[in-house]
Amino acid sequence: MSGIHKAIKERILILDGAMGTMLQRYNFSEEDFRGERFKEFPHPLKGNNDLLSLTQPKAIQEVHRQYFEAGADIVETNTFSGTTIGMADYHLEELVYELNYESARLAREIADEFTAKNPDKPRFVAGSIGPTNRTASMSPDVNDPGFRAVTFDELRIAYKQQVEALIDGGSDILLVETIFDTLNAKAALFAIEEVKEERNLDIPVMVSGTITDASGRTLSGQTVEAFLISISHIPLLSVGFNCALGADQLKPYLQRLSHNTTFNISAHPNAGLPNAFGQYDQTPEAMQVLIREYLEDNLINIIGGCCGTTPEHIRLIAEVAKEYSPRIVEPV
């Protein structure tokens, strides 16, 4: 734990870019997703990127390696949908522990490889805990506002299993990310606190929400300030925002966050907004210019990329981040 806390005081830490964007380059087929192990599995598996940690581990490690080579201090595990709730879509609930454990182990191997080469720049693994596809704050049925597709306890149990496997596999940090429903995230944070207490350990936790549109709110309707208040009772390494918006659109919300908390601030925006085909066109050079504005305004301690970002984006972000000191956390 001391390693990440020491590093974040010394420099702006670089988070990796998009795992999904990189995996798309491989153009994996249904057979690739299945591998030998799931050759006869009775349900379609294409699109389950988390499963690639078991069926295409070399590709996963190669993505991690490329991000570390580009200058990342932290890579995220390939576990964005790694809960029983997320895996239910593929009928793979029984594999959740193994998926998370193996994903963390793969990232740990590459991180240790790079740390061994340069002990002065230790590399870290963040266990990625994405949102489930069920909201706990709102009803999915417009005709029944009181209905919920999932309970808080069901979420807590699902997240706890993921958290235990991510820790067992070697994660240094837990990253609860892309939060569109804060009650869902609170179940994850509750599960993390349970595991920390049961194991008597103090693993650092990052929290990253998602502002979904120009209203400046999360999907479940919270403002920046309300989101921050909802999770501030937990001791956090950092709080921030990712996904949904490009770096320029995200900046005003990071400013509001920065002015209202003593937590470290993280950001991993998309490479601009998607075009008509759902592709991200923002070049690494264009994104670097926008991230420089974050740095000049003393907004962040951790910076990376989300949808559409590649090692080329992270390389230029890391280059410009070297020129600046991390955001100084001052009492509000």
Side-chain angles (χ1 to χ4, degrees), residues 26 42 48 56 59 74 97 106 109 128 223 243 282 295 298 321:
Y26 288 88
N48 185 354
Q56 302 292 336
I74 307 166
Y97 183 90
L106 293 173
E109 276 187 8
S128 172
T223 62
C243 206
Q282 191 170 78
L295 300 164
N298 190 35

Side-chain angles (χ1 to χ4, degrees), residues 139-205:
S139 172
D141 182 355
V142 293
N143 297 311
D144 187 0
F147 174 73
R148 295 293 182 270
V150 69
T151 67
F152 184 89
D153 216 40
E154 286 169 340
L155 288 167
R156 176 189 65 80
I157 291 165
Y159 281 125
K160 189 173 182 181
Q161 185 180 14
Q162 182 179 27
V163 166
E164 288 177 329
L166 287 171
I167 293 172
D168 290 346
S171 298
D172 301 293
I173 309 157
L174 295 172
L175 169 56
V176 182
E177 65 170 321
T178 322
I179 298 164
F180 64 86
D181 168 28
T182 307
L183 189 56
N184 209 304
K186 283 169 80 75
L189 293 169
F190 191 96
I192 290 168
E193 290 303 303
E194 272 195 318
V195 175
K196 284 166 66 174
E197 188 174 337
E198 287 169 8
R199 297 190 177 202
N200 192 28
L201 58 81
D202 193 12
I203 188 166
V205 179

Side-chain angles (χ1 to χ4, degrees), residues 30-45 51 55 90-92 95:
E30 175 72 29
E31 290 68 32
D32 295 324
F33 274 88
R34 288 174 175 271
E36 279 302 311
R37 179 171 168 184
F38 301 97
K39 206 169 186 178
E40 306 300 327
F41 195 74
H43 305 283
L45 295 175
L51 184 62
T55 57
Y90 297 96
H91 306 274
L92 291 174
L95 280 181

